[in-house]
Each structure stands twice: as C-alpha cells, then as structure tokens.
Amino acid sequence: MDRLLDYFTNHPLLAGAAALLTFLVLGYELRQRGTGGATVAPHEAIRMMNSGAVLVDLRSANQFKDGHIVGARNVPGDQLAADAKALERLAGKSLVLYCDNGATTQAALRTLARAGAKDVFSLRGGLAAWKQENLPVVKG
C-alpha cells in the first residue's frame, strides 16, 4: 500500500489520468444502463425473434422500403419521440429496436423507458451490423 501512495505522489499526472478514465468508464456504463434496455447482437436478435420478440425499424418509411429485416415493423423514430404510445399495441412483447447504426435507437430506448416500457432491447450496430453478418434484408 505504501508503494501505491509513493507512486501517486511521484506521478500525479498518471494517477490523475487513471482516475479520470475510471470516472469516464463508470459514467458511460451508468448511462448505458439508464437507457432502459440492453443491446443484443444480431444472432441474439434472431433467437429473440424465434421466441416471439418483435423487431421495430426506427428509420423513415422510405428507408424501410429500401431494405429492412424480415418481419420488422416500421415506426419512425421521430413518430416514436412525439408519441411513445405508437408501440402500445405491442405491449407485453419483447421489442428489439434498430436504425441504421444504433444512434437513433438509444434515444428511442430512453423515450420508452420514461414511458414505462419493459423488455426493450437495441440491435447492437443497427442494420449495418445485421448486413455485416450477411443476414437477410428484404425490400418493399
């Protein structure tokens, strides 16, 4: 323990940087937990879909028509932000939200968490990660 104290007194910049990084990581983790849902990988999302989860595409209707995951329902993120009850008819089911890359999904998770939604997940990496795994996408 004495050596640790000696290190901190002899290297205050390194000790300060380590403390700052620790606080940043803790802050990030707490913020992620505060979104109200966890992230799932594409293959985990498939398992959830097979168990009855519903995929919700948060992109615009035009982007949805250009290509989406099979069986996904389109609820644009701006519509969800304006009225969190847009998903009310899906109450009681697990939801897996996705957008292009996951950024819009985090805002939607916070909105749904404030509305009291449970069992809401984010597709890690969004549709880009889904395509990167060479999983099927349909048009129309």
mmCIF file of all heavy atoms in Angstrom, residues 27-83:
data_model
loop_
_atom_site.group_PDB
_atom_site.id
_atom_site.type_symbol
_atom_site.label_atom_id
_atom_site.label_comp_id
_atom_site.label_asym_id
_atom_site.label_seq_id
_atom_site.Cartn_x
_atom_site.Cartn_y
_atom_site.Cartn_z
ATOM 1 N N GLY A 27 -19.156 6.440 -15.692
ATOM 2 C CA GLY A 27 -20.236 7.287 -16.190
ATOM 3 C C GLY A 27 -20.884 6.725 -17.440
ATOM 4 O O GLY A 27 -22.111 6.713 -17.571
ATOM 5 N N TYR A 28 -20.072 6.224 -18.350
ATOM 6 C CA TYR A 28 -20.585 5.628 -19.579
ATOM 7 C C TYR A 28 -21.449 4.402 -19.272
ATOM 8 O O TYR A 28 -22.541 4.239 -19.803
ATOM 9 C CB TYR A 28 -19.428 5.249 -20.502
ATOM 10 C CG TYR A 28 -19.867 4.530 -21.749
ATOM 11 C CD1 TYR A 28 -20.407 5.225 -22.817
ATOM 12 C CD2 TYR A 28 -19.757 3.150 -21.850
ATOM 13 C CE1 TYR A 28 -20.829 4.562 -23.963
ATOM 14 C CE2 TYR A 28 -20.168 2.477 -22.978
ATOM 15 C CZ TYR A 28 -20.705 3.190 -24.031
ATOM 16 O OH TYR A 28 -21.128 2.534 -25.158
ATOM 17 N N GLU A 29 -20.947 3.549 -18.399
ATOM 18 C CA GLU A 29 -21.692 2.333 -18.044
ATOM 19 C C GLU A 29 -23.011 2.672 -17.368
ATOM 20 O O GLU A 29 -24.038 2.060 -17.657
ATOM 21 C CB GLU A 29 -20.845 1.422 -17.149
ATOM 22 C CG GLU A 29 -19.704 0.761 -17.867
ATOM 23 C CD GLU A 29 -20.160 -0.189 -18.971
ATOM 24 O OE1 GLU A 29 -21.180 -0.873 -18.804
ATOM 25 O OE2 GLU A 29 -19.479 -0.227 -20.007
ATOM 26 N N LEU A 30 -23.009 3.625 -16.470
ATOM 27 C CA LEU A 30 -24.246 4.017 -15.804
ATOM 28 C C LEU A 30 -25.237 4.626 -16.785
ATOM 29 O O LEU A 30 -26.439 4.394 -16.698
ATOM 30 C CB LEU A 30 -23.956 4.991 -14.668
ATOM 31 C CG LEU A 30 -23.255 4.381 -13.461
ATOM 32 C CD1 LEU A 30 -22.876 5.466 -12.461
ATOM 33 C CD2 LEU A 30 -24.130 3.327 -12.812
ATOM 34 N N ARG A 31 -24.743 5.390 -17.728
ATOM 35 C CA ARG A 31 -25.625 5.985 -18.731
ATOM 36 C C ARG A 31 -26.238 4.904 -19.620
ATOM 37 O O ARG A 31 -27.407 4.964 -19.963
ATOM 38 C CB ARG A 31 -24.857 6.985 -19.582
ATOM 39 C CG ARG A 31 -25.734 7.687 -20.571
ATOM 40 C CD ARG A 31 -25.009 8.770 -21.299
ATOM 41 N NE ARG A 31 -25.918 9.365 -22.261
ATOM 42 C CZ ARG A 31 -25.598 10.274 -23.093
ATOM 43 N NH1 ARG A 31 -24.386 10.751 -23.110
ATOM 44 N NH2 ARG A 31 -26.474 10.755 -23.942
ATOM 45 N N GLN A 32 -25.455 3.908 -19.991
ATOM 46 C CA GLN A 32 -25.967 2.809 -20.812
ATOM 47 C C GLN A 32 -27.053 2.046 -20.070
ATOM 48 O O GLN A 32 -28.049 1.651 -20.655
ATOM 49 C CB GLN A 32 -24.847 1.848 -21.213
ATOM 50 C CG GLN A 32 -23.914 2.410 -22.249
ATOM 51 C CD GLN A 32 -24.579 2.619 -23.588
ATOM 52 O OE1 GLN A 32 -25.538 3.368 -23.732
ATOM 53 N NE2 GLN A 32 -24.077 1.943 -24.588
ATOM 54 N N ARG A 33 -26.862 1.828 -18.793
ATOM 55 C CA ARG A 33 -27.878 1.127 -18.008
ATOM 56 C C ARG A 33 -29.124 1.967 -17.845
ATOM 57 O O ARG A 33 -30.211 1.441 -17.695
ATOM 58 C CB ARG A 33 -27.333 0.748 -16.647
ATOM 59 C CG ARG A 33 -26.323 -0.350 -16.735
ATOM 60 C CD ARG A 33 -25.869 -0.804 -15.405
ATOM 61 N NE ARG A 33 -24.821 -1.781 -15.604
ATOM 62 C CZ ARG A 33 -24.284 -2.470 -14.652
ATOM 63 N NH1 ARG A 33 -24.685 -2.284 -13.413
ATOM 64 N NH2 ARG A 33 -23.348 -3.340 -14.901
ATOM 65 N N GLY A 34 -28.973 3.276 -17.872
ATOM 66 C CA GLY A 34 -30.112 4.182 -17.729
ATOM 67 C C GLY A 34 -30.966 4.286 -18.969
ATOM 68 O O GLY A 34 -32.025 4.905 -18.945
ATOM 69 N N THR A 35 -30.554 3.693 -20.084
ATOM 70 C CA THR A 35 -31.352 3.781 -21.304
ATOM 71 C C THR A 35 -32.601 2.927 -21.237
ATOM 72 O O THR A 35 -33.494 3.079 -22.040
ATOM 73 C CB THR A 35 -30.532 3.355 -22.542
ATOM 74 O OG1 THR A 35 -30.107 2.006 -22.384
ATOM 75 C CG2 THR A 35 -29.352 4.281 -22.763
ATOM 76 N N GLY A 36 -32.674 2.017 -20.272
ATOM 77 C CA GLY A 36 -33.862 1.215 -20.120
ATOM 78 C C GLY A 36 -33.826 -0.085 -20.889
ATOM 79 O O GLY A 36 -34.774 -0.837 -20.879
ATOM 80 N N GLY A 37 -32.784 -0.359 -21.573
ATOM 81 C CA GLY A 37 -32.703 -1.605 -22.316
ATOM 82 C C GLY A 37 -31.275 -1.977 -22.601
ATOM 83 O O GLY A 37 -30.368 -1.167 -22.518
ATOM 84 N N ALA A 38 -31.100 -3.206 -22.925
ATOM 85 C CA ALA A 38 -29.769 -3.719 -23.229
ATOM 86 C C ALA A 38 -29.596 -3.834 -24.739
ATOM 87 O O ALA A 38 -30.567 -3.794 -25.487
ATOM 88 C CB ALA A 38 -29.596 -5.082 -22.572
ATOM 89 N N THR A 39 -28.367 -3.977 -25.156
ATOM 90 C CA THR A 39 -28.111 -4.203 -26.568
ATOM 91 C C THR A 39 -27.940 -5.692 -26.809
ATOM 92 O O THR A 39 -27.474 -6.425 -25.939
ATOM 93 C CB THR A 39 -26.842 -3.460 -27.031
ATOM 94 O OG1 THR A 39 -25.732 -3.928 -26.280
ATOM 95 C CG2 THR A 39 -26.991 -1.961 -26.867
ATOM 96 N N VAL A 40 -28.366 -6.123 -27.983
ATOM 97 C CA VAL A 40 -28.221 -7.527 -28.362
ATOM 98 C C VAL A 40 -27.541 -7.597 -29.724
ATOM 99 O O VAL A 40 -27.725 -6.732 -30.571
ATOM 100 C CB VAL A 40 -29.580 -8.268 -28.405
ATOM 101 C CG1 VAL A 40 -30.198 -8.350 -27.030
ATOM 102 C CG2 VAL A 40 -30.538 -7.619 -29.378
ATOM 103 N N ALA A 41 -26.741 -8.619 -29.897
ATOM 104 C CA ALA A 41 -26.067 -8.856 -31.172
ATOM 105 C C ALA A 41 -27.085 -9.392 -32.178
ATOM 106 O O ALA A 41 -28.152 -9.887 -31.802
ATOM 107 C CB ALA A 41 -24.933 -9.854 -30.981
ATOM 108 N N PRO A 42 -26.785 -9.297 -33.485
ATOM 109 C CA PRO A 42 -27.728 -9.775 -34.494
ATOM 110 C C PRO A 42 -28.180 -11.223 -34.295
ATOM 111 O O PRO A 42 -29.372 -11.524 -34.416
ATOM 112 C CB PRO A 42 -26.962 -9.598 -35.805
ATOM 113 C CG PRO A 42 -26.075 -8.424 -35.550
ATOM 114 C CD PRO A 42 -25.652 -8.591 -34.112
ATOM 115 N N HIS A 43 -27.267 -12.106 -33.949
ATOM 116 C CA HIS A 43 -27.661 -13.506 -33.776
ATOM 117 C C HIS A 43 -28.530 -13.707 -32.536
ATOM 118 O O HIS A 43 -29.414 -14.560 -32.520
ATOM 119 C CB HIS A 43 -26.432 -14.421 -33.744
ATOM 120 C CG HIS A 43 -25.773 -14.514 -35.085
ATOM 121 N ND1 HIS A 43 -26.347 -15.175 -36.141
ATOM 122 C CD2 HIS A 43 -24.621 -14.001 -35.554
ATOM 123 C CE1 HIS A 43 -25.570 -15.083 -37.204
ATOM 124 N NE2 HIS A 43 -24.504 -14.363 -36.875
ATOM 125 N N GLU A 44 -28.317 -12.892 -31.516
ATOM 126 C CA GLU A 44 -29.179 -12.935 -30.339
ATOM 127 C C GLU A 44 -30.571 -12.396 -30.692
ATOM 128 O O GLU A 44 -31.579 -12.898 -30.201
ATOM 129 C CB GLU A 44 -28.557 -12.121 -29.200
ATOM 130 C CG GLU A 44 -29.382 -12.069 -27.947
ATOM 131 C CD GLU A 44 -29.491 -13.386 -27.205
ATOM 132 O OE1 GLU A 44 -28.732 -14.322 -27.508
ATOM 133 O OE2 GLU A 44 -30.352 -13.494 -26.319
ATOM 134 N N ALA A 45 -30.625 -11.387 -31.557
ATOM 135 C CA ALA A 45 -31.917 -10.852 -32.003
ATOM 136 C C ALA A 45 -32.708 -11.925 -32.752
ATOM 137 O O ALA A 45 -33.936 -12.015 -32.600
ATOM 138 C CB ALA A 45 -31.709 -9.625 -32.887
ATOM 139 N N ILE A 46 -32.037 -12.734 -33.541
ATOM 140 C CA ILE A 46 -32.712 -13.826 -34.259
ATOM 141 C C ILE A 46 -33.312 -14.808 -33.257
ATOM 142 O O ILE A 46 -34.465 -15.232 -33.400
ATOM 143 C CB ILE A 46 -31.731 -14.542 -35.213
ATOM 144 C CG1 ILE A 46 -31.347 -13.604 -36.346
ATOM 145 C CG2 ILE A 46 -32.357 -15.822 -35.763
ATOM 146 C CD1 ILE A 46 -30.213 -14.127 -37.209
ATOM 147 N N ARG A 47 -32.549 -15.151 -32.233
ATOM 148 C CA ARG A 47 -33.065 -16.061 -31.210
ATOM 149 C C ARG A 47 -34.290 -15.470 -30.524
ATOM 150 O O ARG A 47 -35.281 -16.150 -30.284
ATOM 151 C CB ARG A 47 -31.981 -16.365 -30.169
ATOM 152 C CG ARG A 47 -32.403 -17.460 -29.184
ATOM 153 C CD ARG A 47 -31.489 -17.527 -27.976
ATOM 154 N NE ARG A 47 -31.468 -16.321 -27.173
ATOM 155 C CZ ARG A 47 -32.454 -15.948 -26.349
ATOM 156 N NH1 ARG A 47 -33.542 -16.650 -26.241
ATOM 157 N NH2 ARG A 47 -32.342 -14.842 -25.645
ATOM 158 N N MET A 48 -34.237 -14.165 -30.246
ATOM 159 C CA MET A 48 -35.368 -13.499 -29.613
ATOM 160 C C MET A 48 -36.582 -13.472 -30.537
ATOM 161 O O MET A 48 -37.715 -13.658 -30.080
ATOM 162 C CB MET A 48 -34.968 -12.083 -29.194
ATOM 163 C CG MET A 48 -33.964 -12.056 -28.054
ATOM 164 S SD MET A 48 -33.411 -10.397 -27.664
ATOM 165 C CE MET A 48 -34.889 -9.740 -26.900
ATOM 166 N N MET A 49 -36.355 -13.233 -31.831
ATOM 167 C CA MET A 49 -37.460 -13.239 -32.796
ATOM 168 C C MET A 49 -38.128 -14.611 -32.824
ATOM 169 O O MET A 49 -39.355 -14.713 -32.895
ATOM 170 C CB MET A 49 -36.951 -12.885 -34.193
ATOM 171 C CG MET A 49 -36.572 -11.441 -34.384
ATOM 172 S SD MET A 49 -35.701 -11.126 -35.936
ATOM 173 C CE MET A 49 -36.764 -11.876 -37.141
ATOM 174 N N ASN A 50 -37.334 -15.658 -32.769
ATOM 175 C CA ASN A 50 -37.873 -17.013 -32.763
ATOM 176 C C ASN A 50 -38.678 -17.302 -31.499
ATOM 177 O O ASN A 50 -39.509 -18.207 -31.487
ATOM 178 C CB ASN A 50 -36.757 -18.043 -32.922
ATOM 179 C CG ASN A 50 -36.143 -18.005 -34.304
ATOM 180 O OD1 ASN A 50 -36.759 -17.556 -35.259
ATOM 181 N ND2 ASN A 50 -34.913 -18.479 -34.408
ATOM 182 N N SER A 51 -38.439 -16.519 -30.456
ATOM 183 C CA SER A 51 -39.175 -16.670 -29.197
ATOM 184 C C SER A 51 -40.336 -15.691 -29.090
ATOM 185 O O SER A 51 -40.941 -15.580 -28.023
ATOM 186 C CB SER A 51 -38.231 -16.463 -28.017
ATOM 187 O OG SER A 51 -37.219 -17.437 -28.026
ATOM 188 N N GLY A 52 -40.616 -14.953 -30.155
ATOM 189 C CA GLY A 52 -41.775 -14.063 -30.153
ATOM 190 C C GLY A 52 -41.491 -12.580 -30.061
ATOM 191 O O GLY A 52 -42.423 -11.779 -30.012
ATOM 192 N N ALA A 53 -40.236 -12.164 -30.011
ATOM 193 C CA ALA A 53 -39.916 -10.738 -29.965
ATOM 194 C C ALA A 53 -40.258 -10.078 -31.293
ATOM 195 O O ALA A 53 -40.265 -10.720 -32.340
ATOM 196 C CB ALA A 53 -38.435 -10.529 -29.652
ATOM 197 N N VAL A 54 -40.552 -8.788 -31.233
ATOM 198 C CA VAL A 54 -40.910 -8.026 -32.424
ATOM 199 C C VAL A 54 -39.782 -7.058 -32.748
ATOM 200 O O VAL A 54 -39.310 -6.329 -31.872
ATOM 201 C CB VAL A 54 -42.217 -7.238 -32.194
ATOM 202 C CG1 VAL A 54 -42.568 -6.386 -33.391
ATOM 203 C CG2 VAL A 54 -43.359 -8.188 -31.862
ATOM 204 N N LEU A 55 -39.349 -7.051 -34.009
ATOM 205 C CA LEU A 55 -38.350 -6.090 -34.472
ATOM 206 C C LEU A 55 -39.052 -4.807 -34.883
ATOM 207 O O LEU A 55 -40.055 -4.856 -35.587
ATOM 208 C CB LEU A 55 -37.582 -6.642 -35.668
ATOM 209 C CG LEU A 55 -36.433 -7.573 -35.337
ATOM 210 C CD1 LEU A 55 -35.930 -8.251 -36.593
ATOM 211 C CD2 LEU A 55 -35.308 -6.820 -34.694
ATOM 212 N N VAL A 56 -38.510 -3.674 -34.447
ATOM 213 C CA VAL A 56 -39.079 -2.375 -34.785
ATOM 214 C C VAL A 56 -38.008 -1.545 -35.469
ATOM 215 O O VAL A 56 -36.968 -1.245 -34.895
ATOM 216 C CB VAL A 56 -39.596 -1.641 -33.528
ATOM 217 C CG1 VAL A 56 -40.165 -0.281 -33.895
ATOM 218 C CG2 VAL A 56 -40.639 -2.490 -32.814
ATOM 219 N N ASP A 57 -38.273 -1.192 -36.729
ATOM 220 C CA ASP A 57 -37.363 -0.374 -37.529
ATOM 221 C C ASP A 57 -37.713 1.088 -37.288
ATOM 222 O O ASP A 57 -38.827 1.524 -37.558
ATOM 223 C CB ASP A 57 -37.530 -0.727 -39.012
ATOM 224 C CG ASP A 57 -36.483 -0.103 -39.897
ATOM 225 O OD1 ASP A 57 -36.090 1.054 -39.644
ATOM 226 O OD2 ASP A 57 -36.064 -0.764 -40.860
ATOM 227 N N LEU A 58 -36.754 1.860 -36.783
ATOM 228 C CA LEU A 58 -36.991 3.262 -36.429
ATOM 229 C C LEU A 58 -36.661 4.231 -37.563
ATOM 230 O O LEU A 58 -36.752 5.438 -37.375
ATOM 231 C CB LEU A 58 -36.171 3.622 -35.189
ATOM 232 C CG LEU A 58 -36.514 2.824 -33.927
ATOM 233 C CD1 LEU A 58 -35.515 3.124 -32.833
ATOM 234 C CD2 LEU A 58 -37.922 3.116 -33.473
ATOM 235 N N ARG A 59 -36.302 3.715 -38.717
ATOM 236 C CA ARG A 59 -35.937 4.586 -39.834
ATOM 237 C C ARG A 59 -37.186 5.105 -40.533
ATOM 238 O O ARG A 59 -38.294 4.664 -40.260
ATOM 239 C CB ARG A 59 -35.056 3.816 -40.815
ATOM 240 C CG ARG A 59 -33.768 3.308 -40.156
ATOM 241 C CD ARG A 59 -32.961 2.382 -41.036
ATOM 242 N NE ARG A 59 -33.788 1.292 -41.502
ATOM 243 C CZ ARG A 59 -33.727 0.787 -42.735
ATOM 244 N NH1 ARG A 59 -32.879 1.263 -43.614
ATOM 245 N NH2 ARG A 59 -34.507 -0.205 -43.087
ATOM 246 N N SER A 60 -36.989 6.043 -41.453
ATOM 247 C CA SER A 60 -38.119 6.614 -42.184
ATOM 248 C C SER A 60 -38.767 5.551 -43.077
ATOM 249 O O SER A 60 -38.171 4.516 -43.374
ATOM 250 C CB SER A 60 -37.651 7.793 -43.040
ATOM 251 O OG SER A 60 -36.852 7.318 -44.112
ATOM 252 N N ALA A 61 -39.980 5.843 -43.529
ATOM 253 C CA ALA A 61 -40.708 4.897 -44.381
ATOM 254 C C ALA A 61 -39.957 4.616 -45.678
ATOM 255 O O ALA A 61 -39.942 3.481 -46.160
ATOM 256 C CB ALA A 61 -42.106 5.434 -44.676
ATOM 257 N N ASN A 62 -39.315 5.634 -46.250
ATOM 258 C CA ASN A 62 -38.553 5.435 -47.487
ATOM 259 C C ASN A 62 -37.348 4.519 -47.257
ATOM 260 O O ASN A 62 -37.061 3.648 -48.077
ATOM 261 C CB ASN A 62 -38.092 6.770 -48.070
ATOM 262 C CG ASN A 62 -39.236 7.560 -48.650
ATOM 263 O OD1 ASN A 62 -40.249 6.998 -49.047
ATOM 264 N ND2 ASN A 62 -39.083 8.874 -48.678
ATOM 265 N N GLN A 63 -36.645 4.721 -46.165
ATOM 266 C CA GLN A 63 -35.506 3.858 -45.848
ATOM 267 C C GLN A 63 -35.984 2.434 -45.584
ATOM 268 O O GLN A 63 -35.331 1.474 -45.970
ATOM 269 C CB GLN A 63 -34.756 4.381 -44.625
ATOM 270 C CG GLN A 63 -33.994 5.656 -44.872
ATOM 271 C CD GLN A 63 -33.398 6.206 -43.594
ATOM 272 O OE1 GLN A 63 -34.061 6.249 -42.565
ATOM 273 N NE2 GLN A 63 -32.137 6.614 -43.672
ATOM 274 N N PHE A 64 -37.132 2.313 -44.948
ATOM 275 C CA PHE A 64 -37.703 0.996 -44.666
ATOM 276 C C PHE A 64 -37.995 0.257 -45.970
ATOM 277 O O PHE A 64 -37.705 -0.930 -46.103
ATOM 278 C CB PHE A 64 -38.978 1.156 -43.836
ATOM 279 C CG PHE A 64 -39.608 -0.137 -43.404
ATOM 280 C CD1 PHE A 64 -39.085 -0.857 -42.346
ATOM 281 C CD2 PHE A 64 -40.738 -0.624 -44.038
ATOM 282 C CE1 PHE A 64 -39.672 -2.047 -41.927
ATOM 283 C CE2 PHE A 64 -41.339 -1.799 -43.634
ATOM 284 C CZ PHE A 64 -40.807 -2.514 -42.576
ATOM 285 N N LYS A 65 -38.553 0.973 -46.961
ATOM 286 C CA LYS A 65 -38.863 0.366 -48.256
ATOM 287 C C LYS A 65 -37.600 -0.053 -48.999
ATOM 288 O O LYS A 65 -37.607 -1.024 -49.754
ATOM 289 C CB LYS A 65 -39.676 1.322 -49.118
ATOM 290 C CG LYS A 65 -41.097 1.494 -48.659
ATOM 291 C CD LYS A 65 -41.841 2.507 -49.520
ATOM 292 C CE LYS A 65 -43.205 2.785 -48.941
ATOM 293 N NZ LYS A 65 -43.885 3.866 -49.661
ATOM 294 N N ASP A 66 -36.508 0.680 -48.786
ATOM 295 C CA ASP A 66 -35.247 0.373 -49.468
ATOM 296 C C ASP A 66 -34.597 -0.908 -48.947
ATOM 297 O O ASP A 66 -33.753 -1.483 -49.619
ATOM 298 C CB ASP A 66 -34.252 1.533 -49.340
ATOM 299 C CG ASP A 66 -34.666 2.730 -50.184
ATOM 300 O OD1 ASP A 66 -35.479 2.554 -51.107
ATOM 301 O OD2 ASP A 66 -34.161 3.828 -49.900
ATOM 302 N N GLY A 67 -34.976 -1.338 -47.770
ATOM 303 C CA GLY A 67 -34.439 -2.577 -47.227
ATOM 304 C C GLY A 67 -34.599 -2.627 -45.728
ATOM 305 O O GLY A 67 -34.261 -1.675 -45.036
ATOM 306 N N HIS A 68 -35.161 -3.730 -45.236
ATOM 307 C CA HIS A 68 -35.364 -3.908 -43.806
ATOM 308 C C HIS A 68 -35.263 -5.385 -43.444
ATOM 309 O O HIS A 68 -35.245 -6.247 -44.316
ATOM 310 C CB HIS A 68 -36.712 -3.341 -43.360
ATOM 311 C CG HIS A 68 -37.886 -4.012 -44.012
ATOM 312 N ND1 HIS A 68 -38.350 -3.635 -45.254
ATOM 313 C CD2 HIS A 68 -38.675 -5.037 -43.625
ATOM 314 C CE1 HIS A 68 -39.377 -4.400 -45.590
ATOM 315 N NE2 HIS A 68 -39.597 -5.271 -44.610
ATOM 316 N N ILE A 69 -35.194 -5.659 -42.180
ATOM 317 C CA ILE A 69 -35.115 -7.024 -41.689
ATOM 318 C C ILE A 69 -36.487 -7.678 -41.833
ATOM 319 O O ILE A 69 -37.516 -7.047 -41.583
ATOM 320 C CB ILE A 69 -34.647 -7.042 -40.220
ATOM 321 C CG1 ILE A 69 -33.248 -6.424 -40.105
ATOM 322 C CG2 ILE A 69 -34.659 -8.454 -39.661
ATOM 323 C CD1 ILE A 69 -32.779 -6.200 -38.697
ATOM 324 N N VAL A 70 -36.483 -8.923 -42.248
ATOM 325 C CA VAL A 70 -37.724 -9.664 -42.456
ATOM 326 C C VAL A 70 -38.556 -9.664 -41.175
ATOM 327 O O VAL A 70 -38.059 -9.963 -40.100
ATOM 328 C CB VAL A 70 -37.426 -11.122 -42.869
ATOM 329 C CG1 VAL A 70 -38.704 -11.923 -43.020
ATOM 330 C CG2 VAL A 70 -36.623 -11.163 -44.151
ATOM 331 N N GLY A 71 -39.832 -9.290 -41.304
ATOM 332 C CA GLY A 71 -40.751 -9.301 -40.178
ATOM 333 C C GLY A 71 -40.723 -8.050 -39.326
ATOM 334 O O GLY A 71 -41.481 -7.953 -38.357
ATOM 335 N N ALA A 72 -39.872 -7.085 -39.650
ATOM 336 C CA ALA A 72 -39.782 -5.860 -38.858
ATOM 337 C C ALA A 72 -40.985 -4.959 -39.130
ATOM 338 O O ALA A 72 -41.555 -4.966 -40.222
ATOM 339 C CB ALA A 72 -38.497 -5.105 -39.184
ATOM 340 N N ARG A 73 -41.356 -4.193 -38.118
ATOM 341 C CA ARG A 73 -42.430 -3.201 -38.260
ATOM 342 C C ARG A 73 -41.793 -1.825 -38.259
ATOM 343 O O ARG A 73 -40.855 -1.574 -37.528
ATOM 344 C CB ARG A 73 -43.419 -3.330 -37.108
ATOM 345 C CG ARG A 73 -44.070 -4.699 -37.110
ATOM 346 C CD ARG A 73 -45.099 -4.804 -36.061
ATOM 347 N NE ARG A 73 -45.605 -6.172 -36.042
ATOM 348 C CZ ARG A 73 -46.531 -6.591 -35.232
ATOM 349 N NH1 ARG A 73 -47.064 -5.753 -34.370
ATOM 350 N NH2 ARG A 73 -46.927 -7.828 -35.265
ATOM 351 N N ASN A 74 -42.328 -0.957 -39.081
ATOM 352 C CA ASN A 74 -41.754 0.381 -39.220
ATOM 353 C C ASN A 74 -42.495 1.380 -38.339
ATOM 354 O O ASN A 74 -43.688 1.610 -38.518
ATOM 355 C CB ASN A 74 -41.796 0.818 -40.683
ATOM 356 C CG ASN A 74 -41.126 2.148 -40.916
ATOM 357 O OD1 ASN A 74 -41.700 3.031 -41.524
ATOM 358 N ND2 ASN A 74 -39.911 2.311 -40.454
ATOM 359 N N VAL A 75 -41.777 1.948 -37.376
ATOM 360 C CA VAL A 75 -42.274 3.044 -36.554
ATOM 361 C C VAL A 75 -41.158 4.082 -36.543
ATOM 362 O O VAL A 75 -40.190 3.937 -35.800
ATOM 363 C CB VAL A 75 -42.599 2.600 -35.108
ATOM 364 C CG1 VAL A 75 -43.091 3.778 -34.282
ATOM 365 C CG2 VAL A 75 -43.604 1.468 -35.103
ATOM 366 N N PRO A 76 -41.237 5.103 -37.413
ATOM 367 C CA PRO A 76 -40.146 6.085 -37.492
ATOM 368 C C PRO A 76 -39.809 6.695 -36.133
ATOM 369 O O PRO A 76 -40.700 6.937 -35.314
ATOM 370 C CB PRO A 76 -40.690 7.143 -38.448
ATOM 371 C CG PRO A 76 -41.673 6.389 -39.296
ATOM 372 C CD PRO A 76 -42.300 5.390 -38.371
ATOM 373 N N GLY A 77 -38.524 6.910 -35.910
ATOM 374 C CA GLY A 77 -38.045 7.422 -34.633
ATOM 375 C C GLY A 77 -38.658 8.749 -34.241
ATOM 376 O O GLY A 77 -38.960 8.972 -33.071
ATOM 377 N N ASP A 78 -38.891 9.646 -35.218
ATOM 378 C CA ASP A 78 -39.498 10.934 -34.876
ATOM 379 C C ASP A 78 -40.947 10.759 -34.429
ATOM 380 O O ASP A 78 -41.434 11.475 -33.569
ATOM 381 C CB ASP A 78 -39.384 11.917 -36.033
ATOM 382 C CG ASP A 78 -39.956 11.389 -37.337
ATOM 383 O OD1 ASP A 78 -40.303 10.191 -37.407
ATOM 384 O OD2 ASP A 78 -40.045 12.172 -38.301
ATOM 385 N N GLN A 79 -41.651 9.793 -34.991
ATOM 386 C CA GLN A 79 -43.029 9.498 -34.573
ATOM 387 C C GLN A 79 -43.022 8.933 -33.154
ATOM 388 O O GLN A 79 -43.872 9.281 -32.338
ATOM 389 C CB GLN A 79 -43.672 8.494 -35.529
ATOM 390 C CG GLN A 79 -45.078 8.072 -35.133
ATOM 391 C CD GLN A 79 -45.632 6.985 -36.044
ATOM 392 O OE1 GLN A 79 -45.095 6.714 -37.108
ATOM 393 N NE2 GLN A 79 -46.692 6.358 -35.599
ATOM 394 N N LEU A 80 -42.065 8.090 -32.865
ATOM 395 C CA LEU A 80 -41.956 7.498 -31.536
ATOM 396 C C LEU A 80 -41.613 8.562 -30.503
ATOM 397 O O LEU A 80 -42.160 8.561 -29.405
ATOM 398 C CB LEU A 80 -40.896 6.398 -31.529
ATOM 399 C CG LEU A 80 -40.738 5.642 -30.229
ATOM 400 C CD1 LEU A 80 -41.996 4.849 -29.916
ATOM 401 C CD2 LEU A 80 -39.557 4.720 -30.300
ATOM 402 N N ALA A 81 -40.728 9.489 -30.868
ATOM 403 C CA ALA A 81 -40.344 10.556 -29.941
ATOM 404 C C ALA A 81 -41.538 11.455 -29.635
ATOM 405 O O ALA A 81 -41.701 11.922 -28.516
ATOM 406 C CB ALA A 81 -39.198 11.373 -30.520
ATOM 407 N N ALA A 82 -42.389 11.691 -30.635
ATOM 408 C CA ALA A 82 -43.546 12.550 -30.441
ATOM 409 C C ALA A 82 -44.628 11.854 -29.619
ATOM 410 O O ALA A 82 -45.345 12.488 -28.855
ATOM 411 C CB ALA A 82 -44.108 12.978 -31.790
ATOM 412 N N ASP A 83 -44.753 10.529 -29.788
ATOM 413 C CA ASP A 83 -45.810 9.796 -29.108
ATOM 414 C C ASP A 83 -45.320 8.387 -28.788
ATOM 415 O O ASP A 83 -45.353 7.510 -29.653
ATOM 416 C CB ASP A 83 -47.055 9.747 -29.993
ATOM 417 C CG ASP A 83 -48.222 9.040 -29.326
ATOM 418 O OD1 ASP A 83 -48.204 8.888 -28.094
ATOM 419 O OD2 ASP A 83 -49.154 8.649 -30.042
#
